[in-house]
Amino acid sequence: MTDTPSAPDDAQARRAVRPVICYPNDSLPEPDLPLYRRARQGAVKTAEQRVDPREAACFEVPAGHFFRITSIEGPQVGDLNLWNRNNLSERFYSGKTRALHGTHVSTGERLWSSFPYLRPMATIVEDTLGWYGIDEFGGSVHDVIGTRCDPYTGNLLSGSQYHHCCHSNLTRALADHLRLPLAEAEPHVHDVLNVFMCTGFTRDTGQYFMKASPVRPGDYLEFFAEIDLLGALSACPGGDCSAEHSSDTAACFPMLVEVFAPSSDELANWRPPAVNGYDRSHGRG
């Protein structure tokens, strides 16, 4: 490791330059939350999926329906993947969602899809942890920072062969749901929305941290499906992630996913968002 170079004479001035938001989001299309909430009032539950501790499960949500993720027995965080149900190449893009909305998401913000589609996949309509905000450590909930706990990093850091991390859980669930070999399913698994997870970056080293989630049984995060969705949710082996996130000893609890169908009258004039309008010529049109 090299020594830290000495600071130049104008170091303080360089550090004092004010930041500029990379992607000002005031021109993003606004979700019609009053419409979604009216539609939700008369919605009827059509399906539910229990997600066992240290496991994952898939679920499907038609466009224009709602889905809710709930902590049901104890504090538990979950790793969420989303795909276009009709086209797995269109999937949740956590990096662009982070660039557009920030490191953590809540009510009124959206989960965006991958290139070349780049459109809303789901809109958060309710968040019972919306009160948490940003704590004194810089932590907040529902992050799009972390990638998902995985066996490759575990092997890299500790030489372990742990199979119930979220990456492997999601891979098994997708393979089972689509009747694919594990090797075909795994490339579709992608960076996640960490539902209920409380995270941030340390002030001194800039490292990604986690802390005990504030989630309690009955807390939920609810979404409106903007397109036909296939989802997979892993009940993280870290439980509430207060100590570690790939563990057979952490207290872990199940989660519940419920799907609700609204009255067709409320959404009679609603349409799924179109794919991104960029012409894809890349300067060679």
Side-chain angles (χ1 to χ4, degrees):
M1 183 178 293
T2 59
D3 294 334
T4 302
S6 58
D9 293 340
D10 63 345
Q12 184 173 353
R14 294 193 203 182
R15 292 193 185 104
V17 174
R18 296 185 64 83
V20 175
I21 299 298
C22 293
Y23 296 100
N25 60 13
D26 50 2
S27 64
L28 283 177
E30 288 282 339
D32 192 344
L33 286 180
L35 171 66
Y36 296 166
R37 285 170 172 161
R38 288 196 303 271
R40 179 65 180 86
Q41 286 178 358
V44 176
K45 185 160 79 169
T46 58
E48 69 174 40
Q49 176 66 60
R50 178 186 169 98
V51 183
D52 291 330
R54 297 184 180 85
E55 294 291 349
C58 286
F59 57 94
E60 297 188 5
V61 190
H65 287 49
F66 298 85
F67 68 101
R68 175 184 289 192
I69 298 172
T70 305
S71 172
I72 53 175
E73 292 182 12
Q76 177 66 44
V77 308
D79 286 42
L80 178 67
N81 267 188
L82 292 176
W83 299 267
N84 180 334
R85 189 176 65 183
N86 308 304
N87 174 14
L88 291 187
S89 68
E90 183 176 11
R91 63 193 193 184
F92 172 51
Y93 189 175
S94 68
K96 190 57 66 177
T97 299
R98 179 173 65 248
L100 292 172
H101 294 301
T103 56
H104 300 77
V105 292
S106 188
T107 305
E109 295 175 323
R110 296 172 132 169
L111 307 187
W112 294 80
S113 69
S114 54
F115 297 158
Y117 311 98
L118 193 60
R119 59 175 168 171
M121 301 185 79
T123 298
I124 300 174
V125 293
E126 300 293 344
D127 175 12
T128 64
L129 293 178
W131 55 267
Y132 190 89
I134 301 175
D135 63 33
E136 62 180 304
F137 304 102
S140 191
V141 292
H142 313 310
D143 88 65
V144 282
I145 310 169
T147 55
R148 63 203 175 274
C149 56
D150 69 273
Y152 302 101
T153 305
N155 183 261
L156 175 69
L157 297 177
S158 64
S160 66
Q161 293 288 320
Y162 187 73
H163 307 302
H164 285 269
C165 50
C166 290
H167 177 86
S168 296
N169 295 349
L170 293 166
T171 298
R172 292 193 307 275
L174 186 65
D176 291 347
H177 189 79
L178 296 179
R179 296 184 175 88
L180 295 174
L182 289 172
E184 290 185 26
E186 184 176 17
H188 294 294
V189 173
H190 51 278
D191 287 353
V192 298
L193 168 64
N194 283 307
V195 179
F196 304 141
M197 193 171 181
C198 189
T199 60
F201 292 105
T202 59
R203 302 297 193 195
D204 51 353
T205 63
Q207 290 175 285
Y208 180 53
F209 72 75
M210 62 187 187
K211 54 180 289 192
S213 173
V215 69
R216 297 294 181 268
D219 280 322
Y220 61 86
L221 190 64
E222 187 163 296
F223 303 82
F224 177 78
E226 300 282 356
I227 62 174
D228 290 337
L229 293 175
L230 169 60
L233 180 69
S234 171
C236 182
D240 69 355
C241 289
S242 57
E244 51 187 339
H245 58 52
S246 292
S247 166
D248 278 329
T249 60
C252 292
F253 301 93
M255 305 179 80
L256 182 67
V257 180
E258 299 168 284
V259 179
F260 301 88
S263 165
S264 58
D265 294 342
E266 287 291 351
L267 295 174
N269 296 318
W270 174 84
R271 297 291 181 273
V275 299
N276 192 271
Y278 175 61
D279 65 14
R280 302 185 67 185
S281 65
H282 304 290
R284 292 187 177 177

